[in-house]
C-alpha cells in the first residue's frame, strides 16, 4: 500500500495560470513533510518543511500547506522557469530510522509561455 | 548554505569494475547521510542510511556486499559499487542531514553506466 501519494502525475499550465499540487499520506506519527523540486539530471532541491497541521510556508510563487492527511503546494502565477518535478517526502517515527524519508512519485509540472 | 557535493557526476566503465562515488557536505556537518537510486521517470528509492563512525543501515533488498558504504567523517560518505554489471546502471544520489528535524540536502547525483 502506497504511503505517500502525489497527484496529479503531470500538470501542464499556461504562464500565469495558478494551480495546486497534492500530496496525501496514510501513516500516523508524522515527524515532518518535505517538498523538493527536481530538475532533469539533478538532485532534489529543498523547498519547505512542514511539521504540524495548519502550518503554512511561502517562498516566491510557492506556498505549502499541511493538514492531518495531506499537503498542498500552491503555485501562483507560474513562470516557465517553475517547470520541474515536484517531490513530496514524509518522515515519521521509525525509532532508529535516523530521519529517513519516503518519497511520493512526484508531479511533473510544465509551464508554457 | 547547506551545499552537498557529489563526485563524479558521470561514470562509464566496463562490467566487473568497482566504482566509488563521493558525497561531501561542504558547509555543514552531516550526522547522517543517505544514498538513493533513481530510475528514469521514477522517484527516489532509499538504498541505505549511514551515520558517521558506524555501519550503514541498508534497506530491504539492497545487497550490502555489492554497495559498500563508508561514512568516515562528518562531511564525507562514499558509496562503492563493487564488480558492477549493466543492471547496476542508474542515477545514484546522496543526501546529508545536519541533525534531527533538519531537512536532507541532496547532491546533484552520479549517472553510472556499465558497459
Amino acid at each position: 500500500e502506497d504511503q505517500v501519494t502525489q497527484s496529479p502525475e503531470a500538470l501542464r499550465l499556461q504562464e500565469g495560470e495558478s494551480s495546486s499540487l497534492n500530496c496525501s499520506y496514510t501513516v500516523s506519527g508524522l515527524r515532518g513533510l518535505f517538498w523538493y523540486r527536481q530538475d532533469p539530471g539533478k538532485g532534489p532541491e529543498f523547498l519547505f518543511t512542514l511539521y504540524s497541521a495548519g502550518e503554512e510556508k511561502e517562498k516566491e510563487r510557492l506556498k505549502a500547506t499541511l493538514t492531518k492527511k495531506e499537503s498542498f503546494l500552491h503555485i501562483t502565477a507560474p513562470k516557465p522557469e517553475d517547470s520541474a518535478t515536484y517531490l513530496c517526502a514524509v518522515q515519521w517515527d521509525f525509532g532508529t530510522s535516523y530521519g529517513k524519508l519516503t518519497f511520493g512519485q512526484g508531479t511533473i509540472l510544465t509551464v508554457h509561455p | 548554505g547547506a551545499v552537498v557535493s557529489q563526485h563524479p557526476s558521470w561514470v562509464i566503465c566496463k562490467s566487473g569494475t568497482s566504482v566509488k562515488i563521493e558525497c561531501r557536505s561542504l558547509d555543514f556537518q552531516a550526522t547522517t547521510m543517505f544514498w538513493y537510486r533513481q530510475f528514469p521517470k521514477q522517484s527516489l528509492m532509499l538504498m541505505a542510511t549511514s551515520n558517521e563512525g558506524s555501519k550503514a543501515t541498508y534497506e530491504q533488498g539492497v545487497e550490502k556486499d555489492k554497495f559498500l558504504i563508508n561514512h568516515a567523517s562528518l562531511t564525507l560518505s562514499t558509496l562503492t559499487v563493487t564488480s558492477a554489471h549493466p543492471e547496476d546502471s542508474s542515477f545514484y544520489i546522496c543526501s546529508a542531514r545536519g541533525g534531527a528535524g533538519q531537512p536532507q540536502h541532496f547532491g546533484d547525483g552520479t549517472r553510472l553506466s556499465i558497459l
Side-chain angles (χ1 to χ4, degrees):
Chain A
E1 179 183 352
D2 288 339
Q3 295 172 311
V4 184
T5 304
Q6 289 188 246
S7 62
E9 290 185 7
L11 181 62
R12 294 177 179 270
L13 299 174
Q14 288 296 126
E15 185 172 2
E17 179 186 3
S18 301
S19 187
S20 296
L21 283 57
N22 177 265
C23 171
S24 63
Y25 56 95
T26 57
V27 294
S28 59
L30 180 75
R31 298 292 295 272
L33 187 143
F34 302 82
W35 282 98
Y36 289 87
R37 166 193 171 131
Q38 186 175 25
D39 292 303
K42 298 288 187 180
E45 174 189 350
F46 170 70
L47 294 174
F48 303 109
T49 307
L50 300 167
Y51 292 106
S52 57
E55 190 174 359
E56 299 182 351
K57 295 276 181 71
E58 284 190 68
K59 179 181 179 181
E60 297 181 351
R61 294 178 292 281
L62 300 176
K63 179 180 177 180
T65 62
L66 180 65
T67 71
K68 289 184 178 180
K69 293 293 183 183
E70 59 190 350
S71 176
F72 291 93
L73 183 65
H74 307 279
I75 302 177
T76 302
K79 298 181 178 181
E81 53 261 41
D82 294 322
S83 298
T85 296
Y86 290 84
L87 297 167
C88 162
V90 170
Q91 176 186 337
W92 54 80
D93 187 4
F94 278 135
T96 57
S97 69
Y98 300 111
K100 71 177 184 179
L101 299 177
T102 298
F103 281 83
Q105 290 300 305
T107 293
I108 302 172
L109 174 66
T110 305
V111 182
H112 297 283
Chain B
V3 178
V4 176
S5 173
Q6 189 172 339
H7 180 80
S9 57
W10 196 10
V11 180
I12 302 175
C13 58
K14 294 181 179 179
S15 184
T17 305
S18 291
V19 178
K20 180 184 282 188
I21 302 170
E22 290 189 351
C23 180
R24 294 180 183 271
S25 56
L26 298 185
D27 53 0
F28 66 102
Q29 291 188 328
T31 56
T32 311
M33 287 185 168
F34 304 83
W35 288 95
Y36 294 84
R37 188 170 177 176
Q38 188 174 33
F39 293 102
K41 298 188 177 181
Q42 293 189 25
S43 193
L44 282 74
M45 182 181 71
L46 181 65
M47 298 175 64
T49 302
S50 72
N51 287 280
E52 185 262 341
S54 61
K55 290 184 178 180
T57 302
Y58 291 81
E59 294 300 298
Q60 191 173 8
V62 177
E63 299 177 60
K64 299 179 183 181
D65 296 331
K66 161 69 79 173
F67 300 100
L68 300 179
I69 292 172
N70 183 278
H71 192 161
S73 75
L74 286 172
T75 60
L76 174 64
S77 177
T78 61
L79 168 68
T80 301
V81 184
T82 62
S83 187
H85 293 286
E87 59 265 29
D88 298 323
S89 298
S90 191
F91 191 51
Y92 293 87
I93 310 176
C94 74
S95 72
R97 190 182 72 140
Q102 297 297 309
Q104 292 181 27
H105 294 281
F106 288 81
D108 270 341
T110 296
R111 186 157 305 282
L112 177 61
S113 296
I114 309 298
L115 305 177

